[in-house]
Amino acid sequence: QKEVEQDPGPLSVPEGAIVSLNCTYSNSAFQYFMWYRQYSRKGPELLMYTYSSGNKEDGRFTAQVDKSSKYISLFIRDSQPSDSATYLCASRFGRGYQKVTFGTGTKLQVIP
Amino acid sequence: NAGVTQTPKFQVLKTGQSMTLQCAQDMNHEYMSWYRQDPGMGLRLIHYSVGAGITDQGEVPNGYNVSRSTTEDFPLRLLSAAPSQTSVYFCASRRQVFNNSPLHFGNGTRLTVT
């Protein structure tokens, strides 16, 4: 079983829709949770970063972590064609530990 | 600033050949790492370094060597290429070892081994 599981998609939505991207993880020791966005033929770039449970909002993006159910979510409001990319969730242990464990990514297409 | 620069962008090797993937960062980052990305497998850590002269293995280190003689450079060597090493390779760096700064990725090297 992978430590971080993610539905590969692809997910196709019309412009302006609310997008929900989800991951589950198996290791309860994970404390930091991240979402990376990867455009085609590019490296991943950090989109959102949260510690432990709760919500974090940044513009149209909201990251949510529920540690009781080991569930990580990313919501995109008013989705734009420029949001079309692969979204990778990632987790790591506490401060001082190096390894980041990535999900396999969900490919999102926003249709104009 | 250029960020994390990887060369070459594309490479085709024959089985048994060796090569070095180059990675350089100009952000004075302490931590550097190599990942490979394969369909259905996600990003997997090959090797990482927490500073010049210090390297360690990730989860898939077999068939790869690394060294870190300077803060800026972290080359990845394939000793004897195998078709199973066909992948997209990403170099990533982070400002400091023990903090929550994000990973900065290069744009990858796409390697095919025939």
Side-chain angles (χ1 to χ4, degrees):
Chain A
Q1 181 192 6
K2 285 185 170 296
E3 285 190 294
V4 179
E5 298 269 10
Q6 191 172 4
D7 187 328
L11 180 62
S12 189
V13 301
E15 182 176 353
I18 296 174
V19 175
S20 173
L21 301 167
N22 305 297
C23 287
T24 57
Y25 65 94
S26 58
N27 196 325
S28 57
F30 284 141
Q31 294 189 30
Y32 293 93
F33 304 93
M34 294 142 280
W35 284 95
Y36 282 80
R37 177 175 60 196
Q38 185 177 19
Y39 291 113
S40 181
R41 302 285 184 173
K42 297 290 187 183
E45 57 180 342
L46 183 69
L47 193 60
M48 300 285 286
Y49 192 111
T50 55
Y51 172 71
S52 195
S53 281
N55 291 2
K56 185 173 183 179
E57 190 174 316
D58 185 0
R60 297 184 295 110
F61 299 89
T62 300
Q64 194 172 77
V65 176
D66 183 348
K67 291 195 79 180
S68 63
S69 58
K70 298 191 182 69
Y71 207 76
I72 313 165
S73 300
L74 178 71
F75 299 97
I76 307 174
R77 291 183 298 281
D78 187 25
S79 55
Q80 302 296 309
S82 58
D83 296 327
S84 298
T86 296
Y87 290 79
L88 308 167
C89 60
S91 304
R92 72 177 182 93
F93 298 142
R95 185 178 172 85
Y97 194 82
Q98 309 312 319
K99 184 186 170 187
V100 177
T101 301
F102 287 87
T104 53
T106 299
K107 188 170 184 177
L108 171 68
Q109 184 179 18
V110 180
I111 301 167
Chain B
N1 285 346
V4 179
T5 303
Q6 290 184 239
T7 56
K9 288 185 172 58
F10 302 93
Q11 183 70 48
V12 178
L13 289 179
K14 292 188 191 306
T15 297
Q17 287 184 317
S18 62
M19 80 159 293
T20 299
L21 280 63
Q22 301 292 345
C23 175
Q25 53 90 9
D26 61 359
M27 298 174 283
N28 200 31
H29 282 180
E30 198 170 56
Y31 175 88
M32 296 185 75
S33 55
W34 277 101
Y35 287 84
R36 57 178 291 174
Q37 187 174 38
D38 302 290
M41 301 295 290
L43 285 160
R44 292 181 292 169
L45 183 65
I46 304 171
H47 284 285
Y48 66 94
S49 168
V50 299
I54 306 168
T55 63
D56 206 347
Q57 296 181 349
E59 60 182 301
V60 289
N62 292 341
Y64 307 95
N65 270 359
V66 292
S67 60
R68 183 111 178 259
S69 55
T70 67
T71 301
E72 294 78 19
D73 299 298
F74 191 44
L76 178 72
R77 281 182 286 278
L78 279 69
L79 308 172
S80 177
S84 61
Q85 294 178 305
T86 293
S87 188
V88 182
Y89 291 86
F90 288 100
C91 180
S93 69
R94 189 166 75 218
R95 187 177 60 194
Q96 288 175 325
V97 173
F98 294 113
N99 73 2
N100 301 325
S101 57
L103 283 170
H104 294 259
F105 285 84
N107 283 328
T109 293
R110 283 152 183 81
L111 176 67
T112 302
V113 182
T114 62

